[in-house]
Amino acid sequence: MQTEQAVSLIPTQNSIIRAFLDRRSLTMEDVAYLINPSENHQHDPFLLKGVGKWIDILHSLKGQPIAIIPDYDADGVLSGTLARVGLFLFGFGDVYLYPPKTCDGYGLSKKSVDNVLKAQPDTMAIITTDNGSNAHDGIRYAKEKGLMVLVTDHHLADTAPCADAVVNPNGHGDNTYPFTHISGTAVIYKTLTAYARKYIDCPHVWRDFRSLVLLVGISTVSDVMPFLNENRYYVTESVRMLTHFVNEYSVDRVCGYGDTPLHQYYRGVDLLVTTLQQNGKLKYGIDVDTFGFTIGPMLNSPRRMTGDSELAFRLFQSKRVDLLDEQRVLPSDELFAINEQRKAYVRSLTNALFSHVEGMQLYGKTPIDQMVFNARMNKGIAGLLSGNFTKRYGLPSIAFGVEITGIKGNQDEDDVINVDVPSGYLLTGSARSPESFDLHSFLTTIDEEHPGLIEKWGGHPQAAGISVLAENYDRFRDVFVSRFTAIMDEQLHQNQKEPETLSPFNGEYILTTDAYERLLPLGASTAPNSETVLLHGNHTVFTNQTLWEAVRFFEQLEPFGHGFPKPTFSVAIAMRDVPYIFNMGAGKQHVKLMLSNGLSVIHWNGAELFSRSEPVETDAQGNPAPDHRVFVVTGTLSINRFNGDESLQLIAEDVSELKM
């Protein structure tokens, strides 16, 4: 009822809100769900193809030794942990959870099967989480060893594996599930939910099992699933759950946990909370950024930096005695420290990559020519480097890692990017692409048209893992670039016109300023279908109630994220019109521009961009010459609340300097 009242109060006549709803094709029913997603919005798990067979086989294995083989990324850590705890709650005992290494190969491989049997020789069955749909060799090998294999996965798969049962909403022939964009952790959660609905009738078991939604929500964000449909419930409920962990935290509670898989899971969450609080990461509370920019990267950091995911899994398997050992470093502290190392390492590699790409333009090489590259780095970093390339240049990319021992600093960039690799070396890489580009379809075509060129690959429309022999690397790069170029040329030909000039005003809305009005007669173009919001002349942020209504409405729709981005606003800024500029941060690296219309524009790590080159010219009286630079800033609007006052601020995401 409260949600219905809230929706009824939304001023749909507001032009900004109306444009937003029309652009996203949202009904008021959609808005009601976005504002208040609930457990009832989950789809029936029995709509997953094969789930009935899967849970019946699982039930027949009760009392038998079972092992879980997860992926080694954050989604794998979370899904594997969820499977272990869920099976314990359902009476399967403490199931062995295998912590994979990247050198063993992705997911269920021959090596991982051998390692499982070495650790637990009497294993009768293997359950996979976040992998297995494409593990044809590994599954056949496990079957040869007499093992049963139950697969749960969410990766795209064309051919059904020879497992005893498979649950994958993106798998071969599964057209039954209404929303396929769920994480691997969500798949195992829904599969075990189906098991519980059929075989469990104990209320307290159901209560404990529902606490695992926290892991589903974190995985949804860390694995970049869209913030839509049932994912909205998982994410918002996870934020609520982790907030509860923070608010109810006490040392006595942490020390009071036992050593069951359920209590180890709770202990792991509390250890995370302890470490994040001690390092100042929770001073603004819990939100989706806590999952996407802090917890997810922490869980990913061990395998990225060392190739071994064991530390991340250990976080949720630590024992009570570990807390009593004052000399022992907590796994959460280790994860935080190694993630800080990872951030510095990636920052150094990214700087070297961008310097290399821009330096090659002097030789006529565009970023398109360099979409496929290798780097002397830990292979686990490849996806991050590829993602940074894609974000900067708006192009699909593949980064291949050339493995090194340890981390080398202060290297010349020519020794890092595009190194020579001897024949026989298997280059393993990660690919990323913009949302508008289907990477999976693109690689599928290359693989079909050039058999043998790619050794192995798999993934999503926007992300993939791929392996290529060093002797095929140059040819693969040429095929990738030439095919991409051909697609771009074909699209231009189909449009039968010259490509439109890209507008620096690429936000969904344009906040008008005096600078914007001066630019229009000079030919400044705006993005198609953009809406203008008057904020110049007699219109300011203090008087534009339409804008305030819209921003308050957007706050109700949080969280925004992948698949449901926050609306963007563009504003033209003539630096000579800016009355106040403040540099912020310990190193004065951030900048805040106070515009004359009352709007604040903040650019994190952007102080250097807006600073004037020294020395600044002066007139005869010693006054600095006017600053004639004009910038177009695009970002997101939010309300800054401080000491009871409210103001609107634009957080910059993209900045273009106009040459006037």
Side-chain angles (χ1 to χ4, degrees):
M1 182 62 70
Q2 290 180 344
T3 301
E4 292 177 359
Q5 291 175 345
V7 171
S8 67
L9 295 175
I10 292 173
T12 53
Q13 72 281 4
N14 181 304
S15 58
I16 299 175
I17 294 175
R18 186 74 262 162
F20 173 83
L21 296 176
D22 290 344
R23 189 178 289 111
R24 308 283 177 106
S25 299
L26 294 174
T27 65
M28 297 313 291
E29 183 179 355
D30 296 327
V31 172
Y33 168 64
L34 290 169
I35 291 176
N36 189 30
S38 72
E39 186 176 15
N40 296 330
H41 288 104
Q42 295 179 93
H43 297 298
D44 186 343
F46 284 97
L47 293 175
L48 288 163
K49 181 181 179 182
V51 76
K53 178 182 179 182
W54 199 101
I55 63 175
D56 287 343
I57 293 176
L58 174 66
H59 193 64
S60 71
L61 291 168
K62 212 162 196 177
Q64 302 296 325
I66 298 174
I68 302 165
I69 295 183
D71 189 6
Y72 38 57
D73 66 358
D75 194 15
V77 173
L78 297 164
S79 61
T81 298
L82 191 149
R84 174 179 179 248
V85 177
L87 290 174
F88 164 76
L89 291 172
F90 297 162
F92 285 82
D94 191 354
V95 175
Y96 175 62
L97 175 57
Y98 171 66
K101 296 178 173 61
T102 56
C103 62
D104 293 341
Y106 166 70
L108 194 158
S109 64
K110 292 181 179 181
K111 281 188 178 180
S112 62
V113 171
D114 285 339
N115 289 339
V116 163
L117 291 175
K118 182 178 180 181
Q120 185 173 272
D122 57 349
T123 297
M124 298 294 295
I126 289 174
I127 293 173
T128 73
T129 66
D130 193 32
N131 78 94
S133 293
N134 296 298
H136 303 292
D137 292 342
I139 292 174
R140 277 193 294 268
Y141 183 71
K143 300 291 289 179
E144 290 171 3
K145 294 287 186 179
L147 303 175
M148 298 188 75
V149 179
L150 301 178
V151 169
T152 67
D153 197 1
H154 72 136
H155 293 92
L156 294 168
D158 297 323
T159 305
C162 60
D164 295 277
V166 180
V167 176
N168 181 355
N170 293 293
H172 176 72
D174 189 353
N175 300 312
T176 60
Y177 199 69
F179 184 65
T180 61
H181 303 292
I182 56 177
S183 68
T185 308
V187 175
I188 184 62
Y189 177 76
K190 297 193 75 70
T191 302
L192 293 182
T193 297
Y195 179 90
R197 279 175 51 175
K198 184 170 182 178
Y199 292 109
I200 303 296
D201 58 7
C202 181
H204 80 266
V205 171
W206 267 103
R207 181 201 64 214
D208 291 338
F209 178 69
R210 287 194 182 99
S211 75
L212 297 173
V213 168
L214 172 59
L215 301 176
V216 182
I218 297 174
S219 74
T220 299
V221 180
S222 64
D223 218 43
V224 201
M225 297 292 106
F227 285 19
L228 296 170
N229 211 287
E230 63 186 341
N231 285 343
R232 295 283 298 183
Y233 164 69
Y234 296 136
V235 172
T236 55
E237 183 66 5
S238 294
V239 170
R240 187 195 66 79
M241 284 183 171
L242 190 58
T243 301
H244 175 78
F245 266 94
V246 173
N247 293 340
E248 300 298 321
Y249 176 86
S250 72
V251 175
D252 289 341
R253 186 180 73 181
V254 178
C255 293
Y257 290 133
D259 283 331
T260 67
L262 178 66
H263 279 188
Q264 288 180 327
Y265 155 55
Y266 290 156
R267 180 184 293 115
V269 176
D270 269 331
L271 291 180
L272 265 180
V273 168
T274 302
T275 296
L276 295 180
Q277 284 183 324
Q278 290 175 347
N279 288 279
K281 297 299 182 179
L282 300 182
K283 57 184 177 181
Y284 299 116
I286 303 293
D287 58 21
V288 294
D289 288 346
T290 309
F291 298 163
F293 294 111
T294 305
I295 295 177
M298 284 173 63
L299 297 177
N300 265 320
S301 59
R303 65 101 178 178
R304 291 193 187 282
M305 298 298 286
T306 69
D308 190 337
S309 62
E310 187 271 337
L311 175 61
F313 285 94
R314 181 162 30 105
L315 172 68
F316 299 107
Q317 297 183 41
S318 58
K319 297 182 179 180
R320 189 175 182 179
V321 68
D322 297 337
L323 301 182
L324 303 177
D325 185 354
E326 295 181 357
Q327 302 301 316
R328 188 163 186 169
V329 179
L330 297 177
S332 52
D333 289 341
E334 289 186 72
L335 286 170
F336 187 87
I338 198 170
N339 189 48
E340 291 300 300
Q341 296 174 18
R342 189 271 310 166
K343 288 192 286 188
Y345 183 42
V346 172
R347 191 160 49 242
S348 173
L349 282 168
T350 300
N351 290 337
L353 173 64
F354 290 164
S355 295
H356 179 86
V357 171
E358 286 155 21
M360 291 300 290
Q361 293 184 51
L362 299 175
Y363 302 95
K365 297 288 186 180
T366 68
I368 288 180
D369 298 317
Q370 302 178 73
M371 292 187 295
V372 177
F373 59 91
N374 74 52
R376 191 184 301 276
M377 61 180 173
N378 299 337
K379 294 177 182 177
I381 299 299
L384 300 178
L385 204 57
S386 174
N388 287 343
F389 181 100
T390 293
K391 182 177 180 180
R392 180 162 183 139
Y393 299 109
L395 298 167
S397 65
I398 304 180
F400 288 97
V402 179
E403 196 70 81
I404 58 175
T405 302
I407 301 172
K408 297 181 180 179
N410 302 319
Q411 294 169 302
D412 186 275
E413 66 187 51
D414 291 335
D415 295 328
V416 177
I417 307 299
N418 285 337
V419 299
D420 292 328
V421 183
S423 296
Y425 187 93
L426 185 65
L427 285 160
T428 302
S430 289
R432 298 290 186 270
S433 73
E435 284 192 46
S436 59
F437 187 83
D438 189 340
L439 183 65
H440 188 274
S441 176
F442 185 79
L443 288 173
T444 296
T445 302
I446 290 179
D447 200 18
E448 290 174 349
E449 294 182 353
H450 302 273
L453 184 60
I454 300 173
E455 291 298 304
K456 186 178 180 181
W457 77 278
H460 305 294
Q462 268 69 62
I466 186 168
S467 297
V468 175
L469 285 172
E471 50 265 38
N472 293 330
Y473 171 73
D474 289 339
R475 181 167 161 249
F476 171 77
R477 180 181 57 199
D478 292 342
V479 168
F480 189 98
V481 172
S482 62
R483 175 162 179 77
F484 178 82
T485 303
I487 290 175
M488 295 299 101
D489 290 343
E490 183 179 352
Q491 289 180 354
L492 290 177
H493 178 71
Q494 288 175 347
N495 290 336
Q496 300 255 318
K497 62 180 180 180
E498 292 297 318
E500 295 180 0
T501 302
L502 292 178
S503 169
F505 295 94
N506 53 15
E508 298 170 65
Y509 304 92
I510 297 172
L511 303 174
T512 67
T513 58
D514 291 334
Y516 173 74
E517 290 297 311
R518 293 197 298 266
L519 286 169
L520 289 181
L522 300 178
S525 60
T526 60
N529 304 318
S530 60
E531 303 281 335
T532 56
V533 181
L534 292 177
L535 278 185
H536 73 288
N538 295 324
H539 302 273
T540 70
V541 293
F542 307 110
T543 60
N544 195 322
Q545 294 306 310
T546 300
L547 183 59
W548 278 93
E549 281 183 345
V551 176
R552 294 190 195 282
F553 168 67
F554 295 147
E555 281 190 329
Q556 290 182 274
L557 297 182
E558 294 282 359
F560 290 96
H562 179 68
F564 187 59
K566 196 169 185 179
T568 54
F569 295 78
S570 293
V571 60
I573 302 174
M575 296 303 292
R576 69 186 186 190
D577 296 339
V578 180
Y580 302 105
I581 303 176
F582 303 97
N583 288 339
M584 307 177 296
K588 302 298 181 183
Q589 71 273 33
H590 313 306
V591 65
K592 180 177 183 179
L593 310 180
M594 299 286 292
L595 307 190
S596 57
N597 61 13
L599 180 69
S600 297
V601 177
I602 297 175
H603 191 8
W604 305 118
N605 297 307
E608 185 176 347
L609 177 63
F610 289 99
S611 64
R612 300 183 69 177
S613 301
E614 297 289 346
V616 177
E617 294 183 10
T618 58
D619 59 19
Q621 286 73 39
N623 299 314
D627 189 343
H628 294 293
R629 293 176 301 160
V630 177
F631 294 93
V632 175
V633 178
T634 299
T636 58
L637 272 180
S638 60
I639 300 175
N640 178 40
R641 297 176 173 89
F642 183 72
N643 286 340
D645 294 326
E646 293 184 334
S647 60
L648 285 182
Q649 59 187 17
L650 181 75
I651 306 300
E653 295 178 350
D654 180 63
V655 179
S656 300
E657 182 177 358
L658 300 187
K659 304 299 182 182
M660 305 299 294

